């Protein structure tokens, strides 16, 4: 069956000429419907594995393709993907020790090691940055009460105000971030006179631009105002692996909680999120008892109590692929991947800057480059992106900054070469030229 899957992945990828299937949503859905036929036939189909995997691969947005650069959507490391296969085969579940003995022990090793790496004490495994941010707000609420008010920059991830809404917290205070990062003086002003308890959320690696809020200054303001600090390092957390870039996260260890996301700058198959916690007393809020999973006498007799390590019950050990990756590549191996994608961003920004038909938004901070065709309207910028998506030749993202729409290249593929970067820019230029010839209305 493994051979069948590998063959189907290969033939599917070959049938797709670029990073994305051509034809847009209608074309893709039609081809998929034709390949699938009846999904629940009366009699089973022994070829379904090949048929469906092939169609799935043909219609995929392939993050391993060097021209797939829209989102924080990484090409997974083969070794992590292989480890994840073992998880599917063994199917442990981390809601009780008797379903996951070694997984329990491995999770404890990995979470503590990664937490220490981020200057924290312990970490919970999550499905990603969204769940980590939500847990961070929940822990703050349980520690400081339901009146805790979230204060975040205008550059923060949308999951933070959404978590405040979900948890019934007061309306968050949004601090302007005109330069793309949270301004400590504006934060100070916002915190002054604001009734507590307060929870400040800073970002280390914004989703749109990869910018990093000034963490030491923010931490100092939080200390002065007795505010709790959460740092969303879903994107930037990976910089911790790099000798060259780690210092950009100075101040991270002052945070009470930190969101990390190894399915971004960690090259893991989804999901691989973490919430690192400085004071493990915060975790008491998640304590939960269900007699069939963690009866008090079992816990007293030494069986690990796992229910309080997540809001989920059945839980896949995402930690195996992470452990295999950390040990296979080592810190320096992961750091080298981080350095490569940061270098690619600098190279791509230089290409944009030297091109007469493009404007660069700003020098990249991590691995995101924002650019736009010179003199184009926002409508044209959006149309360039959609034209590339529709013909499947390149996948670029979009971001609205400083009142204008930009194309976004999020470079997460360490194997991308200089020719690929040139090709990406060339495709954007060609797409714009075609649109202008076609007299796209302004
Ligand atoms: C991606 C991202 C998130 C959300 O993470 P998911 O894994 O998609 O849930 C949160 N914050 C930031 C800054 C991000 O870039």
């Amino acid at each position: 069956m493994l051979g069948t899957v590998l063959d189907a992945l290969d033939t599917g990828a070959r049938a797709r000429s670029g990073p994305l299937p051509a034809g847009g949503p209608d074309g893709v859905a039609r081809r998929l419907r034709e390949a699938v036929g009846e999904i629940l036939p009366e009699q089973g189909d022994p070829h379904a594995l090949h048929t469906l995997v092939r169609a799935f691969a043909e219609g995929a947005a392939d993050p391993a393709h060097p021209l797939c650069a829209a989102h924080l959507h990484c090409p997974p490391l083969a070794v992590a993907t292989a480890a994840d296969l073992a998880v599917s085969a063994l199917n442990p579940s981390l809601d009780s020790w008797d379903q996951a003995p070694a997984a329990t022990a491995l999770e404890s090793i990995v979470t503590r090691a990664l937490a220490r790496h981020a200057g924290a004490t312990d970490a919970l495994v999550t499905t990603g940055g969204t769940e980590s941010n939500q847990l961070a707000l929940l822990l703050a609420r349980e520690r400081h009460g339901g009146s805790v008010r979230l204060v975040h920059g205008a550059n923060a991830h949308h999951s933070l105000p959404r978590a405040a809404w979900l948890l019934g917290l007061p309306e968050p205070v949004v601090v302007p971030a005109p330069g793309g990062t949270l301004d400590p003086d504006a934060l100070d002003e916002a915190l002054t006179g604001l009734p507590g308890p307060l929870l400040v959320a800073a970002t280390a690696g914004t989703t749109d631009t990869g910018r990093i809020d000034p963490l030491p200054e923010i931490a100092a303001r939080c200390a002065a105002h007795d505010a709790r600090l959460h740092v969303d390092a879903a994107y930037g957390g990976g910089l911790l692996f790099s000798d060259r870039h780690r210092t950009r996260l100075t101040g991270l260890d002052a945070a009470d909680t930190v969101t990390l996301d190894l399915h971004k700058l960690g090259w893991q198959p989804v999901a691989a999120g973490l919430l690192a916690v400085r004071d493990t007393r915060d975790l008491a809020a998640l304590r939960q008892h269900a007699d069939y999973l963690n009866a008090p006498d079992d816990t007293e007799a030494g069986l690990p109590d796992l229910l309080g390590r997540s809001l989920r019950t059945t839980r896949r050990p995402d930690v195996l692929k992470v452990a295999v990756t950390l040990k296979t590549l080592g810190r320096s191996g992961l750091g080298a991947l981080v350095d490569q994608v940061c270098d690619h961003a600098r190279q791509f920004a230089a290409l944009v800057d030297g091109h007469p038909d493009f404007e660069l938004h700003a020098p990249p901070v991590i691995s995101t480059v924002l650019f736009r065709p010179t003199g184009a309207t926002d409508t044209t910028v959006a149309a360039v992106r959609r034209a590339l998506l529709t013909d499947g030749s390149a996948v670029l993202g979009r971001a609205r900054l400083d009142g204008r729409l930009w194309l976004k290249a999020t470079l997460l593929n360490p194997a991308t070469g200089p020719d690929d970067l040139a090709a990406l820019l060339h495709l954007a230029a060609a797409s714009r030229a075609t649109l202008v010839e076609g007299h796209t209305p302004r």
Side-chain angles (χ1 to χ4, degrees), residues 390-416:
T390 305
D391 71 21
S393 56
V395 197
L396 287 169
R398 54 184 280 169
R400 181 165 292 283
L401 276 142
D402 308 334
R404 290 195 294 167
L405 190 64
W406 299 80
L407 295 171
K408 175 171 83 164
T410 311
L411 300 164
L412 286 190
N413 189 341
T416 297

Side-chain angles (χ1 to χ4, degrees), residues 27 41 313 388-389:
T313 304
L388 293 170
L389 295 184

